[in-house]
Amino acid sequence: MNHIHKTFDSAKLDALVTRAMGDLSAGYGGIMISLGHRLGLFKAMAGAGPLSSHELAARAGCAERYVREWLNAQFAGGYVAYHPVSNTYELTPEQAKVLADEDSPAFIPNAWAVPASMWADEDLAVEAFRTGNGIPWGDHDGRLACGVASFYRNAYKASLIAEWLPALDGVAEELTAGGLVADIGCGHGHSTTLMAKAFPASRFHGYDTHDKSLEEARKVAEEAGVAGRTVFAPARANTYPGTGYDLICFFDALHDMGDPVAAAAHAAKALAPGGTVMLVEPFANDRTEDNVSPVARIYYAASTTICCAHAISDGGHLVLGAQAGEERLADVFRRAGFTHFRRAFETPFNLVLEARL
Ligand SMILES: C[S@@+](CC[C@H](N)C(=O)[O-])C[C@H]1O[C@@H](n2cnc3c(N)ncnc32)[C@H](O)[C@@H]1O
């Protein structure tokens, strides 16, 4: 007889089904958030008070019937308020911080571009699982690079200059006086440009293997008025040019590299005497059993089809994954000849680590 029926716990099953439905509902909500962002619907609602679907449609230049259905989806998800008596909808100040204010550290819509790219690239992932081959960063759907860059940009904006650099021993002082900085795996270069703006006496080099990201990084620096002190060039983490860097940074990039020990060893050669490596990595604890949270789930998932896949395509000597944790990262730097390694700062999303020779 079928003994499965005898052994399962219906309360546990109910709890899991409820959870799975919540996740599925979030997936449907994601495309609604992305549409609201792209069509300017959230921005049209921010600070406007109660609006009818007709008023919002007119403000955003969209068709009312679509807007009305979208509004009801947002209300059902808890992302806009609804006033039944007046049949109007409103974005609360807290909802505006999360959905309309692009400069808020809590702004979430851009983050949905990453799972969108992961769905679009599912066939690549299926193939990679079967063959064991990698997927280079640049082969992904274009929403990946933009999603990652804009997701982290606000965290960098809020914390890099105000908290992370001052947490490193003597680095902010050195950059104020005028130093040379390399940003390895710089992507769209938001980190590079923020530092260049904050430290006008210093010079900055951003290196990456993805040409499209470098083009974007040049634009970001140009728009911020720091193009004269920033150079973005294609280079690998273990062969980029130059020596005498006072600070070498890896922002969410070391674990993507196929040979992180070689990248750290190259940094050891390229640093000025007394120079510092700033390693910014996704927050993780050292043990799998301690990485159970919504943030860990996001990072492990992205790590599976993006980070591990890129590292494998990049040689795959040591595939750290996005949940490496401090101990494994420290080991990379020990193996590359560094003697000093410490956690300088942490947030729910990032570990900020300091390494010295
Ligand atoms: C997750 S993105 C982070 C980009 C950026 N630092 C940020 O924080 O938004 C990782 C970046 O590392 C770059 N990358 C991966 N392997 C590399 C390597 N071996 N050498 C240089 N860059 C590399 C990728 O092209 C990508 O732009």
Side-chain angles (χ1 to χ4, degrees):
M1 292 299 286
N2 189 342
H3 58 272
I4 293 172
H5 289 289
K6 286 188 198 147
T7 52
F8 80 70
D9 175 329
S10 61
K12 282 187 186 162
L13 177 62
D14 281 354
L16 184 58
V17 170
T18 303
R19 166 129 198 258
M21 279 307 298
D23 288 348
L24 187 60
S25 173
Y28 281 72
I31 176 68
M32 293 294 109
I33 292 177
S34 181
L35 284 170
H37 174 53
R38 289 184 61 184
L39 294 165
L41 290 160
F42 293 123
K43 287 201 181 92
M45 293 183 83
L51 294 173
S52 69
S53 56
H54 289 275
E55 287 168 330
L56 177 58
R59 276 176 168 244
C62 292
E64 186 278 333
R65 188 63 191 89
Y66 284 108
V67 171
R68 196 191 329 156
E69 212 70 1
W70 175 87
L71 278 165
N72 289 333
Q74 296 303 343
F75 171 58
Y79 281 6
V80 308
Y82 175 56
H83 307 296
V85 174
S86 55
N87 193 21
T88 55
Y89 303 82
E90 186 174 1
L91 206 61
T92 66
E94 299 75 26
Q95 289 164 340
K97 280 269 171 237
V98 175
L99 301 165
D101 177 0
E102 298 222 20
D103 289 329
S104 153
F107 184 72
I108 204 80
N110 288 326
W112 278 99
V114 179
S117 78
M118 290 165 75
W119 276 111
D121 294 334
E122 190 182 11
D123 287 350
L124 294 181
V126 167
E127 180 72 9
F129 267 70
R130 293 221 166 103
T131 59
N133 294 337
I135 309 169
W137 178 257
D139 282 8
H140 283 283
D141 182 281
R143 283 168 289 186
L144 174 65
C146 296
V148 166
S150 47
F151 177 62
Y152 275 123
R153 184 191 58 187
N154 288 2
Y156 298 162
K157 230 172 158 174
S159 308
L160 172 56
I161 308 301
E163 295 176 318
W164 298 354
L165 282 168
L168 304 178
D169 205 11
V171 168
E173 292 79 357
E174 210 157 19
L175 298 192
T176 303
L180 183 62
V181 179
D183 188 351
I184 314 302
C186 62
H188 288 199
H190 292 296
S191 48
T192 333
T193 285
L194 279 167
M195 292 190 286
K197 271 172 80 177
F199 299 104
S202 289
R203 285 169 302 129
F204 297 84
H205 293 238
Y207 297 114
D208 203 292
T209 43
H210 187 226
D211 288 328
K212 269 198 183 152
S213 288
L214 290 165
E215 276 169 34
E216 197 55 40
R218 289 183 197 108
K219 273 192 227 156
V220 169
E222 182 82 46
E223 278 162 25
V226 296
R229 287 181 298 106
T230 52
V231 180
F232 293 98
R236 294 181 55 75
N238 54 354
T239 52
Y240 54 87
T243 52
Y245 295 104
D246 300 294
L247 177 68
I248 297 179
C249 316
F250 297 87
F251 288 93
D252 188 37
L254 187 83
H255 68 266
D256 288 311
M257 294 167 182
D259 194 344
V261 177
H266 189 70
K269 282 189 274 171
L271 275 178
T276 301
V277 168
M278 172 164 63
L279 176 62
V280 177
E281 279 285 304
F283 181 90
N285 291 304
D286 292 325
R287 298 183 311 176
T288 304
E289 58 270 39
D290 296 329
N291 288 326
V292 182
S293 71
V295 173
R297 186 187 187 195
I298 288 173
Y299 282 146
Y300 272 128
S303 180
T304 306
T305 66
I306 301 166
C307 311
C308 289
H310 177 83
I312 291 167
S313 79
D314 195 32
H317 296 284
L318 173 61
V319 181
L320 286 169
Q323 289 289 271
E326 182 175 343
E327 194 35 57
R328 262 179 292 265
L329 296 166
D331 189 52
V332 166
F333 279 81
R334 256 194 305 271
R335 286 163 62 185
F338 287 76
T339 57
H340 165 95
F341 192 90
R342 74 174 174 104
R343 185 181 302 207
F345 204 86
E346 69 176 70
T347 73
F349 289 97
N350 286 110
L351 289 173
V352 179
L353 304 150
E354 175 188 83
R356 287 223 173 82
L357 285 166

